[in-house]
Amino acid sequence: LRSTWQHVPKDIFGMEFMKRATSEEPSLSDVFDCPVARPDNLAKAVQMLLDQAETELVPRLERLAHGIAALSFKFGKLRMSHMAPMKRALVRTVVAFAPGNQKA
């Protein structure tokens, strides 16, 4: 994901991700209906998570992911049932911008 992520235009990633995610799971439009989840912030969030994906930073990544999930659950509408459509939307959006030889 990290090597393919460099090919994704960050200025349109959020909108493309939202289109894919909400087409599969319409309730995600309510989940992302808050200022922090603006499309331009989604690329920043993905980059932040990828920056923590180094072996020595995995504990920090786990705490970060847990914190995001806990806050989203407590103050938002994010549920575990949203994780699969969000993962598919993320992968499909990133792969859509990958060079031809990286789309396997």
Side-chain angles (χ1 to χ4, degrees), residues 6 9 12 25-26 28 39 41 44 49 51 76-77 79 94 101:
Q6 67 186 348
I12 63 170
E25 180 55 58
L28 282 171
N41 284 337
K44 293 174 190 172
L49 291 170
D51 289 345
K77 301 170 188 164
R79 300 295 178 256
V94 171
N101 62 344

Side-chain angles (χ1 to χ4, degrees), residues 20-67:
R20 292 174 197 279
T22 56
S23 70
E24 181 176 341
E25 180 55 58
S27 68
L28 282 171
S29 61
D30 289 336
V31 171
F32 287 105
D33 187 24
C34 61
V36 74
R38 290 188 324 255
D40 55 320
N41 284 337
L42 295 176
K44 293 174 190 172
V46 171
Q47 185 62 56
M48 181 180 61
L49 291 170
L50 288 174
D51 289 345
Q52 307 305 310
E54 300 295 331
T55 304
E56 65 276 359
L57 296 175
V58 169
R60 184 175 175 178
L61 173 63
E62 290 172 348
R63 287 191 308 271
L64 182 62
H66 177 76

